[in-house]
Structure formats: structure tokens, C-alpha cells
Amino acid sequence: MTAPRPKTCAACGRGIAAREVYYRFKLVLEGEQDVLDASGGGEGDDLAALVKQLEEGPDDPRELEEQVHWERTGVVCSACRLVVVRALAPSPTPAGPH
């Protein structure tokens, strides 16, 4: 029987001993937009103009893709689990825009 591979907490960087409880996570952020700006011509024209702007722009395609779809997996220790859950739990009062 081989020993389990050592794990490192993705939040604090601390090594997690094999006997310690740890928590796996998978976080996916996907950008969405319900409507395009309706100030122009038809929807097809707006979309074509947007695609042309993106193709001709100086932005790196990988960076643009990360703005639309970002995905990470890993493990966190017990202490960091509390911080992550607290950060992602719905607040009883709206925090407002960030």
C-alpha cells in the first residue's frame, strides 16, 4: 500500500497531513449577459460588430476566454473551509456593488 500524496491548501498554502480532514472544491465562474446593447441596428449587426471588435482588438484571446469561463479545482484545510463558506454564503443584508 502506498502513502497518499501530500496535499496543500489552495487558500493558505499550508501542507495538509494525511490524517487531517480536507475539503475538495471545484469553482466555475461563467460570464453571462442577458442582452446586448440595443442602441444599434438589428441584433445580427450588433453581434457581428462585437465579434469584429474582439478579433481586431489588442486583447489576448486566452485572457478574454478567462473572463468568460474560469475554472479551478483543489483542496482546502478545515480552517480555510470556514473562510470560503463564509465568503460564498448569501449575506443577510445586500453588500452592494464591489
Side-chain angles (χ1 to χ4, degrees):
M1 183 169 154
T2 61
R5 289 183 19 208
K7 293 172 180 54
T8 302
C9 177
C12 70
R14 183 178 68 80
I16 302 172
R19 69 182 183 287
E20 288 183 81
V21 174
Y22 62 91
Y23 300 86
R24 293 194 174 282
F25 71 88
K26 180 175 183 177
L27 180 61
V28 178
L29 300 177
E30 295 178 334
E32 294 185 9
Q33 186 174 354
D34 291 335
V35 293
L36 291 174
D37 184 12
S39 63
E43 275 186 35
D45 295 338
D46 291 343
L47 186 56
L50 179 59
V51 170
K52 184 177 180 181
Q53 177 185 354
L54 290 172
E55 288 174 344
E56 294 174 354
D59 297 322
D60 178 12
R62 283 172 276 154
E63 184 179 320
L64 292 172
E65 185 176 331
E66 283 235 343
Q67 290 178 17
V68 176
H69 182 89
W70 185 86
E71 187 172 324
R72 294 295 182 270
T73 60
V75 297
V76 292
C77 65
S78 296
C80 289
R81 178 197 175 275
L82 294 173
V83 174
V84 171
V85 169
R86 196 175 318 129
L88 296 177
S91 175
T93 58
H98 294 282

